[in-house]
Amino acid sequence: MAYRTTVLICTGTGCVSGGSFNLRKILEAELDKRGLAKEVQVITTGCQGFCAEGPIVIVQPEGVFYCQVKPADVPTLVEEHLLKGRPVKKLLYSPPPQKVPIPALKDIAFFAKQKLVVLRNRGMIDPEKIDDYIAVEGYTALGKALTQMTPETIVQEIKRSGLRGRGGGGFPAGIKWETARHAGQTRKVDPVVICNADEGDPGAFMDRSIIESDPHSVVEGMTIAARGIGAHEGFIYIRHEYPLARERLNKAMAQAREYGLLGPNIFGTGFDFDIEIVQGAGAFVCGESTALMASLEGKIGEPRAKYIHTVEYGYKDRPSNLNNVETYANVPLIILRGADWFASMGTGDPRENPWNGSSGTKVFSLVGKINNTGLIEVPMGITLREIIFDIGGGIPKNKAFKAVQTGGPSGGCLPEDKLDMPVDFDSLTEAGSMMGSGGMIVMDQDTCMVDVARYFISFLTEESCGKCTPCRQGLKTMLETLNRITEGKGKPEDVDLLREMGEVMQDCCLCALGTSAPNPVLSTIEYFQHEYEAHIRDKKCPGGVCKALITYGIDPKVCDGCHACVRACSTASIYGDVKQVHSIDVHKCIKCGACIEVCKRDAIFRA
Amino acid sequence: MPKLTIDDLKKIREQAQAKMTLRSGQARGKITVHMSTCGIAAGARDILDALLKEVDRRGLHDIIVTSSSCAGLCSREPMATVEIQHQAPVKYVDLTPEKARRILDEHVLGGKIVTEFALAAGSETTS
């Protein structure tokens, strides 16, 4: 049925801080009461650009523009305008909206397709002031959870929302919470709540940015989790390399304690919970659940086999609920606005079965060969193409896209024909990559896929803890093989060896670091096997990266003898008089690329 | 300080909201410098220092200079947001202390957006 009237409520961050979501709830209730729900549609919109006058409400088709609408104005608005058709004068925006000489933020491609849930307060509030967080409905969800919900309903709400673990695995948080709660009750042991802030993937900085932007959202999310699970003790395991994030967390926790929002008897309800920050020493493997908990206990950060899950026997053998920063930061809004709201974003309907689809949004750090490097939050199900070409603004210097790497060292590289794939947990896994914590590295035509695989395997070889043989030896063999290929000494059987080694590791390694480690190799073999063959058979590197397989040359038709390359060359391998065509002594050349950087006419090539 | 009750939380929220949206009438304008690890690495600290010094030197008591976190667009850091009563916030990109002082002068005090440094007006959309 068509609606006769549509009410648009602005949900730009400015208006939201002025209470536009609450306004929507009240308006819908009022419309329901008056029997107008079937005639009047209420929708939320992007920023209208009049943030200082928010919350903004626009009534269509008349186009009446209301500003600073408060909950108390809603009955009048419904009675006068929506029922009787008379615009409410006192709420009308009086001076005509000025024409602003610059574009609106919602029209800038980088911002247009983003949807902020976790990053809702980024750049808006002062992360070091608890009052700022409270102004944007902070700790309201905790109040609701402690006074209007039981621990069981908290867990059920998270389960119904379909929130899946943002650390990469995508395990439904609600099921984990339920298991931890159950284990605590049956064993009569207090569970613990742990936040994994040991973000170690190269090129990933989502968790750092969430903590730096909005530390209280993580603290509030953990406290709600603790209430649901029945925990009174929590830990944030954060890497040593994040000093500012740690400082902001410490400040946030001190302020929350002062207000009684953390510590004993929160909100006077008798519920006690506190958090301790523990610093990781920078080992990549400590992002893995069992290694993280061993490290928390003061032991060497090594994983153990997981026939018994940490959610039942984890930190000091207590039931331990481990979620990542972004997962916890989602929790307050799910409690405040409900599971249905969260489930309405993203793919699938997870309300009956949290494995069915990927609800909500995901934060990505968009890096590599991309015009708009940045931290983005998008609804699940968006395509890679929209992320890279719309939000990211495409590849610099009009170069061709080659691959996008998702999921860090545990993920894979996806080629151009996967660009229209939806970004969600299951699609990415099916394509041989993974969501991971959200690093997204874009690669252009000048990237060598064998070298990319070699880079990740060399990273993992250093980070492997060495406890289990398949990981320790498998990575070493893979690295030797890849090194050989990039040096032009590859053998025809090397690709099969890599594949076989990868499959053994997937089956036999002790922890997820090892089982997912072959992904960069296997996915590049699957999608870019021709590059491996070019290295091995033709002794050529199509990306022009592997030094042993390329030589530098100067195109005599293009070179104008400007001498810039001669000055840039550190080994004096370029010769030629000024205004005469130059040439390169390939025996002296160390292939550093400094000459290419300075050549204004693109006369120097790699072949 | 004693424990907050749910009602106390509401009171703090209302007071803090008025302050944040420049409705309390105490301030004419507000400049927010975006300071996370990324922004600081790009020089945001110098922007904040320059603004604080300038505001102090000229005795501009009704201009708030504050900091917030990353605005997301790392490639255009350092960034700042200018808010003036009854106007949409404006995001500025690729700042230097010199540009920041000009923005303070022309936009915050003079009311005219410095279009050459501005990215866009408005705020981001929340789900």
Side-chain angles (χ1 to χ4, degrees):
Chain A
M1 201 189 89
Y3 294 98
R4 69 173 166 89
T5 299
T6 301
V7 181
L8 308 170
I9 299 181
C10 174
T11 53
T13 41
C15 286
V16 168
S17 73
S20 51
F21 280 102
N22 188 32
L23 202 64
R24 180 192 175 141
K25 217 159 57 187
I26 292 167
L27 179 62
E28 281 175 337
E30 186 71 20
L31 288 172
D32 220 31
K33 206 170 88 189
R34 301 291 188 114
L36 292 173
K38 286 195 174 138
E39 294 170 41
V40 180
Q41 181 187 23
V42 181
I43 54 177
T44 48
T45 70
C47 177
Q48 305 290 328
F50 299 98
C51 315
E53 301 296 326
I56 300 290
V57 172
I58 301 170
V59 181
Q60 298 285 21
E62 304 96 300
V64 174
F65 198 96
Y66 291 116
C67 61
Q68 297 196 22
V69 183
K70 290 171 206 66
D73 299 323
V74 170
T76 326
L77 187 78
V78 173
E79 168 85 26
E80 288 298 309
H81 190 156
L82 301 175
L83 206 62
K84 299 179 184 160
R86 295 191 293 230
V88 185
K89 281 213 180 95
K90 75 167 179 113
L91 296 174
L92 283 179
Y93 188 66
S94 40
Q98 283 167 326
K99 183 108 180 77
V100 182
I102 52 173
L105 202 68
K106 69 178 160 77
D107 296 329
I108 303 258
F110 179 78
F111 294 102
K113 288 204 170 172
Q114 294 197 48
K115 242 182 197 296
L116 306 187
V117 174
V118 172
L119 299 173
R120 61 195 176 276
N121 300 326
R122 76 155 165 209
M124 269 260 307
I125 62 167
D126 184 338
E128 298 187 4
K129 288 190 188 137
I130 191 169
D131 284 7
D132 273 25
Y133 181 65
I134 292 174
V136 290
E137 293 191 302
Y139 291 106
T140 312
L142 180 61
K144 181 179 172 187
L146 290 182
T147 56
Q148 298 168 33
M149 296 171 85
T150 64
E152 287 83 6
T153 54
I154 294 172
V155 173
Q156 284 314 310
E157 198 69 12
I158 297 300
K159 201 173 160 190
R160 261 172 48 82
S161 75
L163 175 67
R164 291 173 67 173
R166 264 42 176 175
F171 189 85
I175 296 182
K176 205 186 256 183
W177 291 20
E178 200 170 44
T179 315
R181 175 170 179 77
H182 181 75
Q185 281 175 333
T186 46
R187 286 175 50 209
K188 302 203 168 25
V189 182
D190 266 1
V192 288
V193 168
I194 307 171
C195 173
N196 187 347
D198 193 53
E199 182 174 54
D201 291 359
F205 51 92
M206 298 74 54
D207 294 343
R208 189 200 74 207
S209 197
I210 293 167
I211 294 174
E212 287 179 357
S213 304
D214 205 3
H216 284 285
S217 68
V218 181
V219 172
E220 188 182 3
M222 284 180 74
T223 312
I224 293 170
R227 173 64 168 180
I229 290 163
H232 302 291
E233 206 179 334
F235 297 97
I236 299 176
Y237 188 87
I238 185 166
R239 61 190 309 211
H240 176 257
E241 292 90 331
Y242 283 180
L244 184 63
R246 211 167 52 238
E247 184 192 317
R248 287 191 176 161
L249 267 177
N250 270 321
K251 274 191 191 158
M253 282 163 43
Q255 291 167 348
R257 278 188 204 109
E258 200 182 313
Y259 271 177
L261 300 170
L262 199 61
N265 195 17
I266 296 171
F267 274 126
T269 58
F271 173 65
D272 311 331
F273 178 67
D274 212 330
I275 301 173
E276 189 183 322
I277 292 183
V278 179
Q279 267 188 60
F284 183 65
V285 72
C286 285
E288 194 277 342
S289 59
T290 56
L292 186 151
M293 287 178 207
S295 172
L296 265 187
E297 290 172 8
K299 298 176 184 154
I300 294 173
E302 282 182 352
R304 60 160 173 83
K306 278 193 287 277
Y307 38 84
I308 298 170
H309 292 293
T310 51
V311 65
E312 282 164 342
Y313 286 84
Y315 171 72
K316 292 189 177 164
D317 276 344
R318 289 159 64 181
S320 304
N321 182 76
L322 178 71
N323 288 128
N324 138 290
V325 170
E326 191 182 336
T327 313
Y328 285 122
N330 268 298
V331 168
L333 272 199
I334 295 175
I335 294 299
L336 208 54
R337 297 203 198 137
D340 290 320
W341 161 77
F342 194 78
S344 72
M345 294 180 288
T347 62
D349 184 352
R351 286 173 295 180
E352 299 298 316
N353 170 10
W355 287 102
N356 182 27
S358 306
S359 54
T361 60
K362 181 76 193 83
V363 181
F364 288 100
S365 53
L366 193 57
V367 298
K369 297 293 166 62
I370 186 102
N371 278 316
N372 301 329
T373 303
L375 191 80
I376 62 164
E377 182 171 0
V378 290
M380 291 275 193
I382 192 170
T383 64
L384 284 167
R385 191 182 298 280
E386 288 172 283
I387 293 180
I388 295 165
F389 289 93
D390 296 343
I391 296 174
I395 318 290
K397 298 181 191 161
N398 284 323
K399 290 197 174 167
F401 168 87
K402 185 181 263 184
V404 55
Q405 210 276 348
T406 69
S410 314
C413 296
L414 300 171
E416 192 168 11
D417 65 11
K418 297 278 174 201
L419 278 181
D420 293 308
M421 193 184 82
V423 174
D424 61 61
F425 287 107
D426 306 316
S427 306
L428 283 170
T429 307
E430 203 177 303
S433 184
M434 69 184 286
M435 181 73 84
S437 57
M440 203 173 262
I441 306 173
V442 180
M443 300 166 188
D444 70 3
Q445 62 192 60
D446 296 337
T447 312
C448 168
M449 299 315 290
V450 184
D451 185 60
V452 167
R454 193 200 54 79
Y455 166 76
F456 281 112
I457 295 301
S458 108
F459 174 86
L460 288 163
T461 308
E462 280 181 25
E463 293 295 344
S464 169
C465 75
K467 185 173 179 180
C468 75
T469 312
C471 180
R472 186 182 64 237
Q473 286 307 115
L475 281 167
K476 190 163 173 279
T477 309
M478 276 193 164
L479 183 60
E480 282 167 4
T481 314
L482 289 163
N483 276 337
R484 191 159 68 219
I485 298 174
T486 54
E487 284 160 10
K489 298 173 194 151
K491 299 180 216 151
E493 63 271 24
D494 278 350
V495 172
D496 287 335
L497 174 68
L498 285 171
R499 217 183 257 135
E500 193 186 329
M501 192 62 65
E503 281 158 15
V504 169
M505 287 176 67
Q506 285 177 332
D507 287 342
C508 306
C509 287
L510 190 58
C511 80
L513 185 150
T515 55
S516 64
N519 284 352
V521 176
L522 296 177
S523 67
T524 46
I525 292 179
E526 182 173 354
Y527 299 120
F528 300 95
Q529 188 163 355
H530 55 276
E531 293 205 13
Y532 281 84
E533 282 161 5
H535 281 76
I536 296 169
R537 198 182 52 213
D538 313 330
K539 310 291 175 204
K540 286 237 163 19
C541 174
V545 172
C546 299
K547 284 189 181 174
L549 303 176
I550 51 166
T551 47
Y552 278 62
I554 295 177
D555 186 341
K557 288 193 211 93
V558 185
C559 176
D560 64 353
C562 76
H563 229 55
C565 56
V566 177
R567 283 189 290 271
C569 182
S570 61
T571 56
S573 2
I574 306 181
Y575 51 91
D577 294 329
V578 179
K579 302 237 164 119
Q580 299 293 313
V581 171
H582 294 1
S583 43
I584 298 178
D585 180 346
V586 292
H587 301 293
K588 276 164 80 186
C589 171
I590 55 165
K591 301 164 187 175
C592 67
C595 50
I596 291 192
E597 305 253 311
V598 296
C599 181
K600 290 200 178 76
R601 298 174 59 88
D602 289 334
I604 303 170
F605 58 87
R606 300 182 180 101
Chain B
M1 124 153 228
K3 297 253 174 257
L4 291 194
T5 62
I6 304 275
D7 285 334
D8 297 335
L9 189 76
K10 245 181 225 162
K11 270 180 226 143
I12 295 179
R13 183 165 71 223
E14 278 155 20
Q15 286 164 6
Q17 262 172 12
K19 245 186 234 163
M20 275 183 70
T21 48
L22 296 180
R23 293 252 175 78
S24 58
Q26 289 163 352
R28 216 173 357 152
K30 179 167 128 182
I31 312 180
T32 307
V33 182
H34 297 285
M35 301 239 289
S36 284
T37 300
C38 45
I40 294 169
R45 185 89 67 189
D46 297 338
I47 310 293
L48 186 74
D49 283 349
L51 287 170
L52 285 172
K53 251 186 222 148
E54 194 68 7
V55 164
D56 195 43
R57 190 179 67 80
R58 296 166 66 168
L60 305 169
H61 303 297
D62 54 352
I63 304 295
I64 304 170
V65 177
T66 181
S67 68
S68 181
S69 60
C70 161
L73 192 53
C74 311
S75 46
R76 305 302 295 276
E77 303 266 16
M79 294 174 68
T81 303
V82 169
E83 287 167 83
I84 293 183
Q85 271 192 355
H86 312 297
Q87 283 176 29
V90 172
K91 280 202 162 52
Y92 286 100
V93 292
D94 302 324
L95 292 178
T96 61
E98 195 41 53
K99 288 183 188 173
R101 279 188 287 265
R102 251 189 77 191
I103 291 163
L104 175 70
D105 209 43
E106 293 175 28
H107 187 178
V108 183
L109 302 175
K112 253 185 82 183
I113 297 173
V114 189
T115 49
E116 49 199 298
F117 313 143
L119 174 76
S123 68
E124 289 192 80
T125 306
T126 308
S127 279

